[in-house]
Amino acid sequence: MPKQDEIKYTKTHEWIFVEGENATIGISEHAQGEMGDVVFVELPKMDQKLEKEKPCAVVESVKSAFDIYAAASGDVTAINDKLDGDPALINTSSLEDGWMYKIKLSNPDELKDLMDFTAYQEFIKQSA
Amino acid sequence: MNQNIMQDDSALGIEKSIEGRRAIRFNKIEDDSLSLDIPNNLLRKTKPYLPQLSELDAVRHFTRLSRRSFSLDTHFYPLGSCTMKYNPKINEDISMFEGFANLHPLAMDSCAQGTLEMLYDAEKILCEICGMDAMTLQPAAGAHSEFTGALVAKAYFEKKGESQRTEIIVPDSAHGTNPATAVMLGFKTVNIKSTSDGQIDLEALKAAISDKTAILMLTVPNTLGIFEFNIEEITRIAHEAGALVYMDGANFNALMGIIKPGKFGIDIMHLNMHKTFSTPHGGGGPGAGSIGVNKLLEEFLPYPRVIKENNEFKIKTDYPNSIGKIKAYFGNVGVLLKAYAYLLMHSKETLGETARNAIINANYLLKKLKKNYPAYCEDYCMHECVLTPSKELTSNKVKTLDIGKRLLDYGFHAPTVYFPLIVHEAIMIEPTETESKETMDLFVEAMEKIFEEGKTNPEIVKAAPHSLSVKRLDEVAAARKPNIKWDISDTAKQLGSATETKKEECAK
Amino acid sequence: MFISNTKKQQDEMLKEIGVSSFEELIKKIPAKYLNSDFNISEKPLTEVEAHRKFSELSAKNQKVLNFVGAGAYERYTPSAVKHIAERGEFLTAYTPYQAEASQGLLQTIYEYQSQICALFDMEVSNASVYDGASALGEAVRACARITSKKKILYPKSLNPQYLTTLKTYFGNSSEYTFEAIEHSGGKIDIASLKNKLDENTACVIAQSPNFFGTLEDMREISDLAHEKGALFTAVTDPMSLALVNPPGSYNADFAVAEGQSLGLPLNYGGPYLGIFTCKKAHIRQMPGRLVSMTTDTEGKRGFVLTLQAREQHIRRDKAASNICSNEALCALMATIYMTLLGPEGMKEAAEANAFNTRYALKELLAIDGITLKFDNPFFNEFVVDFPNHPCELRKKIIKEDGIDIGLPLKKLYPDMENSLLVCATETKTKEDIDKLTAALRRNL
């Protein structure tokens, strides 16, 4: 599990964990709580080119559907197949088993705009 | 077989099945020279897994099921946006007259004069009521009408050489079908915000509208139950920008006999026969739609259309600029008959009286309820009102959903909940003109009781319903692992060995 | 009409609301729009008058002994179907969004889905769409979304009503191409299919029984489509499936049909029943409502609408379709119909169709001048050729004998100038068919 201080957050509540030129993305603990019981996850396709802040996945609860925006630009290198059979992983383990997809970053400079954990907590408080 | 299965109200037809039991039979012509002569590779190899019941078993099965559903005939059904008004029984009788029910859609016009006359006349009456120039009755439902209307607009702009108009402006309070329709036809939806009193924000509209706008799609009165007071200005802005104004007529029950949308600049509108004109909802359908348009758009309407020539009604299909057909044959004619009966049983005066009473009833409920369920808009409403749970309830974590479920215990269907989306915890109530003051007073009483319970004993509200055949259902499990049909192995598991034998027989 | 409150009550309510007149409630509406004049009858009909009016109107439709099919089939509706479907509890309910108060209705939809899946041998059926033609439109749209391809192949033997509806469903957009597969002798021409089918094909459509009544070899077509990476959409007739191989057996991705065939009245074209089925893999691209079995908080069996986040009321501009109202009551009628008939009754009904039609064909071919157009396996419809264009003949026999002999095909297929499509369903007797042949004999 990545440590809290290694993770960055977007304003649309995705987290991103960067290791070199690769990154793993999921949705934040706060966001999964707001969504309620996740019943379905639609992931990006392998090799899909993602553009930062463009919708790239969907998370569904019983009565809602949430767009998930690309946390950074890059090519999809892995997707979490387990979510297909067990979407509840988003609820039970948002930062670990509930990861959504991995990308090879195409523009690491973009990461500068993202928030660290403290800033993200502050952001949540302010938007409430 | 499990002895209790015939008494078990949630037992499936297939679980009541007994091998060899029969109901309806058919004879075939006895003629030794005839054979089925279908090659073996095209024949079905296994029997379909359908129930085997006697007619009594089947009738009892479905009759018992019917008793486990709320309906308008049994309960007050204040479902906002759905216009659950009384469905006159005569509609049902006349639509089943043999002359109508047995008419083949490809019958020659000379054999269909009665039905064609009905379609022709219904179009005329609806044009009058709406102030539109032409009408098609082909769409099967409201959303299907929207699709048709948007396609008509698309054809209009293409012919005009303005196919750069690829956007549809939709207020954020709109029905979900509006944006879904736009996208089906390759339009981009542009959402505009409503003001706090539920009106279209004129500044937002001006900012959004451009030479890319094809249609401004409005619901009048809007989904908050409020008339767009600036309608004149709104249609002017749209028309100046060269766009068409589409009116979702889902809420036309508030207007008919009082206001003609054609008068305030609507170019295209649809009607839902199953709302305004009293045809039953049938548990989700069939409905019937229609599109009214102004003169400029008439040539694009779907074919076929009914015309009258030398006192004879005819089907005409030759409309070179028509968008085409949106449905096989003509439309939901059986439903249109019911709507037509309703129309003929009204005059201008009584249609207006209908709308007036729909408005009075909604305002009565609004007035009686808003103390403990604050209204989203301060104004008087039209045919429906949007309320919210008060602080006393929300602070006890009693949600709109819970209030709706608790109402079921008190013998009322729930209002529409969580719509429109712009209202947090919306409770949308539409009593319609056919409900009596006494019924509404009982409803108010129930809402007050729920308010008290929510304050003092919130758990009873949160766990509701308590009095129905099932408690709250696990929708999460259903969505994660849908069980959407019976299959042989499941029923075998539930019923034990009795079905095991059946399984083998079926596999034979 | 149908308003409950008396004038006195209305006044009391206005007083309670705090206004002195109704007009105060709508005073913000610009006055110039109010009281618009319009011209409809001043005198509303009473119920007894309405009943009379509609009896007369229905009598203006000429009753005929009908041998027209062509996608809508005269069926016997069992009395039990009518009586149950007319129960107010089903008839006047709304979409079962409040599951706990709609268990009966939800269960009937679950049983509908189950029976349709059983008959079609498919994994998923939704709760219905408008009709067979719109079901095809929705299915092919789903194929285009799934494959991200834009070329659609349809057979010339497809019901022409379906074809025009299909094109309209794509917004008449030039972005998509629709190419016709030729038929040879009333069947899909496999060479033509192979010729047009390529890696850019989103979907191959085939219909069996096709518009001419021919049973196609769907397995072969389905396999060819899949070899090129296209999806296969089958159009069929549910009644035929009691006898012929169901779409699941030939690996259809989507299978749609006009469900009117399951005991629904003709009603001049609607309301009908759009049957929509697919493979489980495509469930998220399926339009419309779906019911799932589940349990309540005490573990008791119950039913709910499910996968709603695909639908327009939640997904809005990202929904799989805009459909909201469906044909629930028609689906209920079909459910009761299939329950009453069961596997044996369905087979008997299908056989009655097949044998009536075979008898009609045998008798027609015994008439000089009538010849069989296509010699293919068929279910309950066939095409015969006449010495001349049969349109005048049709008119004459309707007028003189009250018999509609079938559908002349010239308008739909200009190269079939003298052809007639004939169908004899289970509603016909040997005597009826003998009347048809006698009338034809007299006039040829």
Side-chain angles (χ1 to χ4, degrees), chain B residues 44 128 232 325 434 438, chain C residues 4 9 32 39 100 119 168:
Chain B
R44 185 172 187 119
E128 273 295 320
E232 190 172 14
K325 289 178 70 61
T434 57
E438 300 86 89
Chain C
S4 293
Q9 283 181 309
K32 64 176 171 187
N39 180 23
E100 296 86 348
L119 194 56
T168 318

Side-chain angles (χ1 to χ4, degrees), chain B residues 1 42 49 58 95 114 226 236 246 269 301 328 357 368 382 390 414 433:
Chain B
M1 175 190 275
L42 300 183
Y49 190 48
S95 72
I226 308 289
R236 194 186 57 78
Y246 181 103
M269 68 175 287
L301 286 178
N357 276 277
K368 290 278 208 176
M382 293 292 279
S390 62
E433 72 282 359

Side-chain angles (χ1 to χ4, degrees), chain B residues 401-420:
Chain B
L401 177 79
D402 307 320
I403 297 164
K405 299 284 182 209
R406 186 62 177 149
L407 271 169
L408 305 177
D409 280 331
Y410 286 107
F412 297 100
H413 195 275
T416 293
V417 294
Y418 300 101
F419 183 81

Side-chain angles (χ1 to χ4, degrees), chain B residues 289-309:
Chain B
S290 66
I291 290 286
V293 296
N294 67 26
K295 264 267 165 290
L296 284 177
L297 301 169
E298 182 174 359
E299 61 180 304
F300 306 105
L301 286 178
Y303 68 81
R305 300 187 60 198
V306 184
I307 58 163
K308 194 176 179 181
E309 262 177 18

Side-chain angles (χ1 to χ4, degrees), chain B residues 10 15 26 31 44 70 104 117 128 232 260 282-284 325 329 405 434 437-438 469 474 483 486, chain C residues 4-5 9 32 37 39 60 72 91 93 100-101 110 114 119 161 168 243 294 300-301 326 348 362:
Chain B
S10 65
E15 292 165 340
F26 298 88
D31 183 327
R44 185 172 187 119
F70 279 33
H104 194 283
E117 179 181 333
E128 273 295 320
E232 190 172 14
K260 288 160 59 160
K325 289 178 70 61
Y329 316 113
K405 299 284 182 209
T434 57
K437 178 171 178 293
E438 300 86 89
S469 61
D474 192 343
N483 167 352
W486 64 51
Chain C
S4 293
N5 291 321
Q9 283 181 309
K32 64 176 171 187
D37 199 32
N39 180 23
K60 288 185 187 172
L91 183 72
E100 296 86 348
Y110 180 86
S114 300
L119 194 56
Q161 302 261 349
T168 318
L243 289 181
T294 186
K300 206 172 158 194
R301 176 190 281 180
N326 58 14
E348 270 180 19
K362 183 186 110 179

Side-chain angles (χ1 to χ4, degrees), chain B residues 455-504:
Chain B
K455 279 199 302 187
T456 56
N457 185 10
E459 290 317 310
I460 198 168
V461 183
K462 283 192 244 178
H466 304 278
S467 62
L468 299 178
S469 61
V470 288
K471 301 272 192 288
R472 283 208 196 176
L473 292 153
D474 192 343
E475 295 187 73
V476 173
R480 283 181 180 163
K481 293 251 175 324
N483 167 352
I484 52 171
K485 66 182 177 79
W486 64 51
D487 74 59
I488 296 177
S489 53
D490 280 356
T491 41
K493 246 182 280 162
Q494 275 148 7
L495 295 179
S497 55
T499 6
E500 282 299 343
T501 36
K502 265 189 244 171
K503 184 180 174 180
E504 284 158 28

Side-chain angles (χ1 to χ4, degrees), chain C residues 14-323:
Chain C
L14 286 169
K15 206 171 154 198
E16 179 80 31
I17 295 164
V19 291
S20 55
S21 72
F22 168 77
E23 282 63 36
E24 251 183 83
L25 293 176
I26 57 167
K27 63 172 186 259
K28 280 178 141 185
I29 299 177
K32 64 176 171 187
Y33 297 137
L34 296 173
N35 301 316
S36 319
D37 199 32
F38 59 91
N39 180 23
I40 65 167
S41 166
E42 296 289 321
K43 213 169 157 270
L45 298 184
T46 60
E47 180 166 328
V48 56
E49 287 164 349
H51 196 276
R52 164 70 66 106
K53 160 89 189 174
F54 280 85
S55 302
E56 288 165 4
L57 202 56
S58 78
K60 288 185 187 172
N61 288 340
Q62 189 190 339
K63 192 178 171 184
V64 293
L65 186 60
N66 173 51
F67 292 93
V68 177
Y73 300 94
E74 190 174 334
R75 292 273 172 247
Y76 177 72
T77 311
S79 294
V81 171
K82 287 188 215 167
H83 282 270
I84 296 168
E86 276 298 308
R87 285 184 68 89
E89 295 90 331
F90 287 133
L91 183 72
T92 70
Y94 194 74
T95 305
Y97 287 127
Q98 287 291 341
E100 296 86 348
S102 315
Q103 282 303 295
L105 185 55
L106 285 160
Q107 185 175 329
T108 66
I109 301 172
Y110 180 86
E111 297 200 4
Y112 166 80
Q113 293 169 184
S114 300
Q115 297 192 93
I116 292 295
C117 284
L119 194 56
F120 282 63
D121 192 20
M122 294 292 285
E123 291 170 323
V124 185
S125 161
N126 75 5
S128 75
V129 296
Y130 308 132
D131 66 0
S134 58
L136 178 63
E138 293 279 12
V140 179
R141 285 184 65 94
C143 290
R145 284 196 299 274
I146 293 164
T147 59
S148 305
K149 293 173 187 172
K150 316 254 178 203
K151 180 170 156 182
I152 291 129
L153 297 185
Y154 68 89
K156 278 202 169 154
S157 50
L158 177 69
N159 185 333
Q161 302 261 349
Y162 285 41
L163 178 61
T164 48
T165 307
L166 173 66
K167 288 184 176 169
T168 318
Y169 253 77
F170 279 82
N172 301 324
S173 160
S174 51
E175 214 185 312
Y176 296 89
T177 54
F178 292 85
E179 289 184 29
I181 313 164
E182 298 297 327
H183 71 88
S184 72
K187 271 176 98 154
I188 282 189
D189 179 9
I190 296 294
S192 166
L193 169 62
K194 283 183 177 162
N195 189 22
K196 304 229 156 104
L197 184 62
D198 60 22
E199 272 74 18
N200 298 319
T201 309
C203 173
V204 174
I205 302 164
Q207 182 178 11
S208 180
N210 70 22
F211 189 64
F212 309 126
T214 301
L215 295 169
E216 300 273 6
D217 186 349
M218 299 291 265
R219 179 88 235 181
E220 187 181 12
I221 303 162
S222 173
D223 287 348
L224 285 170
H226 289 135
E227 273 169 32
K228 293 282 179 188
L231 295 174
F232 180 60
T233 297
V235 182
T236 185
D237 170 51
M239 180 61 85
S240 74
L241 297 182
L243 289 181
V244 306
N245 51 356
S249 72
Y250 46 78
N251 199 19
D253 293 282
F254 291 86
V256 299
E258 178 48 72
Q260 180 271 331
S261 219
L262 295 171
L264 269 61
L266 286 168
N267 271 327
Y268 204 53
Y272 283 179
L273 169 63
I275 295 176
F276 188 107
T277 68
C278 65
K279 285 184 182 168
K280 209 168 180 181
H282 306 316
I283 194 169
R284 317 269 341 160
Q285 292 300 331
M286 186 183 67
R289 296 178 189 133
L290 191 66
V291 169
S292 172
M293 190 189 274
T294 186
T295 50
D296 74 358
T297 49
E298 291 172 355
K300 206 172 158 194
R301 176 190 281 180
F303 300 86
V304 290
L305 290 172
T306 197
L307 306 193
Q308 290 190 68
R310 293 168 299 119
E311 292 185 64
Q312 49 76 26
H313 62 288
I314 291 171
R315 204 54 160 269
R316 299 175 78 82
D317 54 358
K318 296 200 179 72
S321 164
N322 72 344
I323 189 167

